[in-house]
Amino acid sequence: MAASSLSAHGGTGLADRYLVGRVLHQGESSVVLEGWDRETDEKVEIKYVEGHSVSFKDSKEELMVKLHHPNLLNYIARYEEDDGIYYVREHADGGNLKELFSAHQAYTPCVSEEEIKYLAYQICLGLQYAHSQGVIHCDVKPENILLMKNGQVKITGFCLLKDELKDPDSRLKASQIGTLGYKALETFHSRFPEEMEFAIKADSYGAGATILFMLLGEENFYKPSGSLYDAVWQRILSRGIASLGMDFVAELLARNPLDRLSVHQMIYHPWLFDLPVSRPEPKPFVTRG
C-alpha cells in the first residue's frame, strides 16, 4: 500500500483530518505509516489493514480502539475506507526499551535502578489494565515497550482476548506468538493456558525478562536449555541492585506459573513499594552516556 494513495481519499475520511507520510513498518496484510493531525499538528501512526476482514492478530486492533490507559499505546480513531481499515494511534517519540538499553554496554545501563523501577511500575500498570479488560499480551519484550520522551511507558503489540482462550485454534495461534527469552515455558509446544488466571502469568514472565534486560543492559542471560546463567545474579549484585530487585525478578521468572507473581501482585511488591501509586505526570528518566 503506497503512502501517497492514502491522501487521495475525499469526503470526511482519513485524509481530511490526517496528513500521511512514509511507511514505518510493512507486514503481509498491513502497513504502518507516519502521519500528522491537521488540527493539532501532532505526530501519529496510521495502521492500514487491507480489506474489511481482519486477521487473528489484527482483530485486536478493534478492541484496542475501545481501550484507553496512560501506559498503553492508545488508539485515537478508526476509519473504514473502500480499500480497507485505517487505525490512527499515538506516536511514541522516545523509541523503545530495546533501543534505549542496547545503545549502552553491559554493566553500564543508561538509567538508574530508581528509574528502572518506575519504568517497571508503568509496565505493571499498563498490563494490569489490559488484563482487567480481558486482553492478554502474549509477547511482552523490550521492543513492545515504547517510550515517550518524558519517560512515559506505552505498551503495544497485544495479541489475545479472554474470550478466545476457550477456542483451541486461538490458543494454538497464541502459543506460536512470543520471543525466545521472553516467552513463558508453559506456552511452548502448541500449548497456551485455557484459564485467564494462568494465561496472564505468561505476561508476568515476559515482564520479568524485560526488567532483567533493563537491569543487565543486555539479553545474554539464558542458557541454551532455557534456564538462567548462574552469573546473572552476580552481575546484578555487581551493579549494586537491591536484593529486593533480585527477588522481584526471580518471582516473575518462576518456571511454574503457580509460583509466579501476577501483575497486580507486582505493583505491590516491596521493590516498588516506595513508588507512589499514581502520579499526575510521568517521571522523566535521565539518559547517561
Side-chain angles (χ1 to χ4, degrees):
M1 176 69 185
S4 59
S5 66
L6 288 175
S7 60
H9 292 291
T12 57
L14 175 79
D16 292 291
R17 178 65 185 266
Y18 297 98
L19 178 67
V20 180
R22 63 188 176 91
V23 173
L24 299 175
H25 308 289
Q26 179 80 52
E28 291 183 6
S29 61
S30 65
V31 60
V32 178
L33 308 107
E34 65 179 355
W36 288 266
D37 189 322
R38 295 180 186 272
E39 295 185 9
T40 66
D41 201 33
E42 292 182 346
K43 190 172 183 179
V44 297
E45 291 184 356
I46 300 170
K47 180 172 182 177
Y48 163 74
V49 179
E50 186 177 0
H52 296 280
S53 60
V54 291
S55 67
F56 168 78
K57 188 170 183 178
D58 291 331
S59 66
K60 307 308 165 294
E61 313 288 342
E62 294 294 320
L63 178 63
M64 296 307 295
V65 170
K66 303 174 184 177
L67 302 185
H68 193 276
H69 187 273
N71 298 123
L72 301 187
L73 188 69
N74 292 305
Y75 284 61
I76 301 167
R78 176 188 186 278
Y79 292 86
E80 190 162 344
E81 305 280 1
D82 292 339
D83 58 346
I85 303 172
Y86 298 84
Y87 301 95
V88 182
R89 62 193 187 192
E90 294 175 314
H91 169 68
D93 57 7
N96 63 52
L97 285 184
K98 181 68 175 289
E99 295 167 341
L100 176 65
F101 284 82
S102 295
H104 299 260
Q105 295 181 350
Y107 311 109
T108 57
C110 55
V111 295
S112 68
E113 179 180 357
E114 286 302 304
E115 291 164 329
I116 290 173
K117 286 165 64 175
Y118 189 57
L119 291 170
Y121 176 69
Q122 293 183 78
I123 293 170
C124 295
L125 290 180
L127 290 176
Q128 181 190 42
Y129 170 76
H131 292 168
S132 74
Q133 301 300 306
V135 184
I136 308 157
H137 196 289
C138 301
D139 195 18
V140 180
K141 60 182 178 181
E143 292 93 328
N144 282 331
I145 309 299
L146 307 183
L147 298 167
M148 304 300 285
K149 286 184 178 178
N150 65 359
Q152 185 176 10
V153 162
K154 292 285 184 178
I155 306 174
T156 188
F158 290 88
C159 295
L160 187 66
L161 307 182
K162 178 181 178 180
D163 292 344
E164 294 173 317
L165 290 174
K166 301 300 181 184
D167 176 32
D169 289 339
S170 294
R171 292 201 309 276
L172 174 62
K173 291 175 182 177
S175 71
Q176 297 166 347
I177 297 170
T179 303
L180 190 64
Y182 298 90
K183 183 176 172 67
L185 298 178
E186 69 270 16
T187 65
F188 278 89
H189 307 300
S190 301
R191 300 193 308 268
F192 198 89
E194 185 174 344
E195 301 298 329
M196 183 69 173
E197 63 180 304
F198 294 112
I200 61 176
K201 293 293 188 73
D203 284 353
S204 296
Y205 190 95
T210 297
I211 294 164
L212 181 58
F213 165 74
M214 289 194 286
L215 291 172
L216 291 175
E218 63 168 315
E219 290 184 310
N220 185 28
F221 40 75
Y222 283 102
K223 299 176 183 178
S225 64
S227 59
L228 287 171
Y229 282 111
D230 295 335
V232 163
W233 305 116
Q234 279 72 33
R235 291 185 210 169
I236 294 177
L237 279 172
S238 70
R239 281 209 52 222
I241 301 298
S243 59
L244 283 174
M246 296 174 61
D247 174 74
F248 181 77
V249 172
E251 291 193 63
L252 290 174
L253 297 180
R255 297 174 70 91
N256 187 340
L258 291 173
D259 299 327
R260 200 177 301 150
L261 294 178
S262 68
V263 290
H264 179 75
Q265 293 170 319
M266 290 162 63
I267 291 170
Y268 296 99
H269 189 278
W271 189 52
L272 302 181
F273 195 73
D274 60 342
L275 293 171
V277 173
S278 61
R279 297 182 181 182
E281 294 292 337
K283 177 184 176 183
F285 51 75
V286 180
T287 302
R288 300 183 177 86

